[in-house]
Every structure is written in C-alpha cells, then in structure tokens.
Amino acid sequence: MLREAGLRVTRPRVAVLSAVHAHPHADTDSVLSAVRRELPKVSHQAVYDSLHALTSAGLVRRIQPSRSVARYETRTGDNHHHIVCRSCGAIADVDCAVGEAPCLTASDDRGYAIDEAEVIYWGLCPGCSAAESP
C-alpha cells in the first residue's frame, strides 16, 4: 500500500498504518502506544510524521469532531460519516444516509464543485443510554 501510494516503506510507517487499521478512530497517543508495542524506541516525531505522510497520501483519514483531539482511520475514499457519543466520546462509522452520496448535494453549492461532505451525528451510545435510563 505504501509503495502504491508513492511512499517509502519504513518500519514506523508500516507500524502506524497497522495500528490505525487495528484501532479505528484512535487518537495520536493511542497510535503511539500501539506502535511502541512493536517498535519500543520509536519517537513521537516519527509517529507524527508517519501519520502526516499517510494522511497526505490518502491511506489514512484524519477526523476531528468538535471538542475532541484528532482521530485517525484507514477507511478512506467512501465519504462515510461518524456518530459520536456525547457522554463517553465513543466514535462509530455511519454510511451516507441513502442512495449514492446524497450528502454531496447541497441545497445551494454556491458554485463549488463538491467532492466530499463531513457529517458528524451526536447522541448517546447504547451503553451510555442504558446507564442514563431509570
């Protein structure tokens, strides 16, 4: 995947890509912890640089819901959305509502050529909903 994206294959990049694949929606610290299980001496900077390179190459997607740190995932190119729990912060993927990317049809595109929409749904996850119910 790295070579196909025009990136050099390095141990930190492979480890970061594997960590993000294994832990969707992980923040940078979680990715760093996962990578250090495989490469104990990897630096913060190597992980940050790898995340940046992988994101720029389109192998990883960076999302940042309001009031949250940046999160990373390997599900790219399908214009899916996210749902975030207001209580515990859990994040899950949500496919476009109906049909073929209807979210790309704005009521007024103001002349823009829209190619992506970023929608975040907010609510309570099943666990937090059950905890709040009497």
Side-chain angles (χ1 to χ4, degrees), residues 75-129:
R75 185 175 171 187
T76 62
D78 67 350
N79 199 57
H80 71 280
H81 308 304
H82 297 93
I83 188 162
V84 180
C85 179
R86 289 186 188 278
S87 182
C88 70
I91 300 174
D93 291 336
V94 178
D95 290 328
C96 249
V98 216
E100 194 168 314
C103 50
L104 294 182
T105 306
S107 60
D108 179 0
D109 65 17
R110 302 187 185 266
Y112 283 66
I114 298 173
D115 63 8
E116 182 179 3
E118 199 168 299
V119 175
I120 297 180
Y121 300 97
W122 293 88
L124 294 177
C125 69
C128 292
S129 290

Side-chain angles (χ1 to χ4, degrees), residues 26-46:
D27 62 18
T28 307
D29 288 340
S30 299
V31 172
L32 177 63
S33 295
V35 169
R36 282 195 170 155
R37 285 192 283 278
E38 187 178 333
L39 303 173
K41 295 183 180 185
V42 72
S43 68
H44 280 86
Q45 193 61 49

Side-chain angles (χ1 to χ4, degrees), residues 48-69:
Y48 292 134
D49 291 347
S50 294
L51 284 168
H52 179 73
L54 294 169
T55 301
S56 295
L59 296 175
V60 167
R61 181 178 176 195
R62 180 183 185 274
I63 62 167
Q64 190 165 5
S66 179
R67 300 178 302 279
S68 175
V69 297

Side-chain angles (χ1 to χ4, degrees), residues 17-29:
L17 188 58
S18 295
V20 175
H21 183 74
H23 308 284
H25 310 123
D27 62 18
T28 307
D29 288 340

